[in-house]
């Protein structure tokens, strides 16, 4: 939007502030998730909620049986924005870790150390002020508006993030070693632990903000999403040339079904 990186950076933080803490997001997503995609006990996205079992290496608990229900799962997804904007950031300030996996290192500025704690708490206060204002001024109708905003944000985030990595093929693709015990490259694991879907649909591309090109997004996270569909054919052909599995599903419903099946599979011991 602007030639000045600092302006664009500020715009990015402002745009996501109602969905997640920008400071927490740097450690959780930009670093941990993109560096260790779907890796057990390393990728925080697999460990946000103890009530869900997203990896077969996680010990099964009785409550995990509920995740076979789509109503139960989607109800939880509706609260994603609250978790990323308030719950997880506050817990990270108290414990120094995000979802018990990623340590808050001192990355400088507001990204680490005591500055991280201060910036996170300031964001939390502003977030509560913004969501509380309609409730205080409009009463019940304001409460309904706030809850709708939180739920819709949570669903958009939940649907367009979970189906990109949480299925049987993607979890298998995150393996750090091959069948012979040899280490697998970071790029190969990024491709095989991600899923593309509905790449022929302009509607889903716009609604998901380009996240339906998840493979290209993970290989080149710094590229604007508008370019992902242009580099996808090159990535796909390169994967075919070197024997890397390119997970591409034909539709949103196919990707959603694969995720639902994996949730159901892990709902049992």
């Amino acid at each position: 939007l602007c030639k000045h990186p600092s302006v664009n950076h500020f715009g990015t933080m402002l745009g996501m502030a109602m969905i997640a803490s920008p400071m927490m997001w740097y450690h959780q997503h930009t670093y941990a998730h993109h560096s260790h995609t779907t890796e057990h006990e390393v990728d925080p996205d697999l460990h946000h909620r103890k009530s869900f079992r997203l990896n077969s290496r996680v010990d099964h608990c009785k409550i995990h049986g509920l995740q076979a229900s789509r109503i139960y799962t989607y109800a939880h997804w509706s609260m994603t924005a609250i978790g990323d904007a308030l719950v997880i950031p506050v817990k990270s300030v108290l414990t120094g870790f995000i979802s018990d996996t990623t340590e808050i290192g001192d990355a400088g500025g507001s990204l680490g150390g005591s500055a991280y704690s201060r910036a996170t708490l300031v964001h939390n206060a502003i977030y509560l002020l913004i969501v509380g204002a309609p409730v205080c001024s409009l009463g019940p109708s304001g409460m309904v508006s706030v809850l709708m905003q939180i739920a819709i944000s949570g669903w958009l985030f939940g649907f367009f993030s979970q189906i990109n990595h949480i299925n049987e093929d993607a979890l298998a693709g995150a393996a750090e070693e091959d069948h012979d015990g040899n280490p697998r490259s970071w790029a190969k694991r990024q491709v095989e632990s991600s899923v593309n879907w509905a790449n022929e649909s302009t509607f889903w591309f716009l609604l998901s903000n380009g996240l339906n090109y998840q493979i290209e997004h993970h290989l080149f996270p710094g590229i604007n999403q508008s370019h992902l569909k242009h580099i996808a054919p090159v990535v796909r052909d390169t994967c075919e040339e070197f024997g890397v599995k390119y997970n591409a599903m034909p539709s949103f419903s196919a990707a959603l079904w694969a995720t639902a099946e994996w949730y159901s599979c892990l709902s049992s011991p």
Side-chain angles (χ1 to χ4, degrees):
L1 297 178
C2 180
K3 294 183 179 180
H4 299 285
S6 58
V7 175
N8 289 331
H9 181 63
F10 176 76
T12 299
M13 296 181 68
L14 188 64
M16 69 180 300
M18 295 305 294
I19 302 175
S21 162
M23 288 64 67
M24 181 275 297
W25 188 258
Y26 172 84
H27 295 276
Q28 171 196 317
H29 191 82
T30 306
Y31 162 64
H33 172 66
H34 272 270
S35 299
H36 306 284
T37 310
T38 64
E39 291 182 30
H40 176 59
E41 294 185 336
V42 185
D43 184 353
D45 283 3
L46 295 180
H47 302 280
H48 288 323
R49 297 185 179 99
K50 303 299 183 183
S51 54
F52 283 93
R53 183 178 181 233
L54 304 182
N55 190 303
S56 58
R57 295 169 64 183
V58 175
D59 293 335
H60 184 273
C61 298
K62 186 176 181 180
I63 195 173
H64 294 150
L66 296 174
Q67 70 184 50
S69 166
R70 294 197 185 189
I71 294 178
Y72 172 83
T73 298
Y74 299 162
H76 271 265
W77 288 3
S78 71
M79 297 182 287
T80 299
I82 287 291
D84 280 349
L86 289 177
V87 180
I88 297 175
V90 169
K91 186 178 179 181
S92 71
V93 169
L94 296 175
T95 66
F97 285 84
I98 295 174
S99 299
D100 300 323
T101 62
T102 306
E103 186 176 7
I104 305 298
D106 192 353
S110 62
L111 297 178
S114 59
Y116 170 86
S117 299
R118 291 194 298 271
T120 298
L121 294 176
V122 167
H123 169 263
N124 287 346
I126 295 174
Y127 178 88
L128 289 173
L129 182 64
I130 293 174
V131 298
V135 178
C136 295
S137 60
L138 300 176
S141 62
M143 175 66 76
V144 171
S145 298
V146 167
L147 292 177
M148 286 182 62
Q149 185 274 329
I150 291 172
I152 292 173
S153 297
W155 280 323
L156 288 173
F157 184 84
F159 280 108
F160 295 141
S161 63
Q162 294 292 290
I163 66 175
N164 296 327
H165 299 289
I166 310 301
N167 58 64
E168 186 172 8
D169 288 341
L171 269 295
E176 296 184 60
E177 298 179 346
D178 61 22
H179 295 298
D180 299 322
N182 299 314
R184 303 170 72 238
S185 73
W186 175 87
K188 185 173 184 178
R189 286 187 284 124
Q190 289 297 311
V191 172
E192 296 191 348
S193 63
S194 302
V195 174
N196 281 14
W197 48 273
N199 286 163
E200 303 300 320
S201 172
T202 301
F203 170 79
W204 286 115
F205 174 77
L206 293 174
L207 189 62
S208 69
N209 202 29
L211 290 179
N212 59 331
Y213 285 90
Q214 191 70 193
I215 292 173
E216 289 72 26
H217 169 62
H218 266 260
L219 286 175
F220 309 104
I223 293 181
N224 185 277
Q225 68 268 21
S226 63
H227 302 301
L228 297 180
K229 61 182 178 181
H230 300 297
I231 67 174
V234 178
V235 173
R236 184 171 58 249
D237 291 345
T238 302
C239 288
E240 183 178 356
E241 178 182 353
F242 289 94
V244 178
K245 186 176 182 181
Y246 188 90
N247 298 311
M249 298 188 181
S251 63
F252 170 78
S253 59
L256 185 62
W257 178 256
T259 297
E261 283 191 317
W262 186 242
Y263 269 65
S264 296
C265 177
L266 294 186
S267 67
S268 301

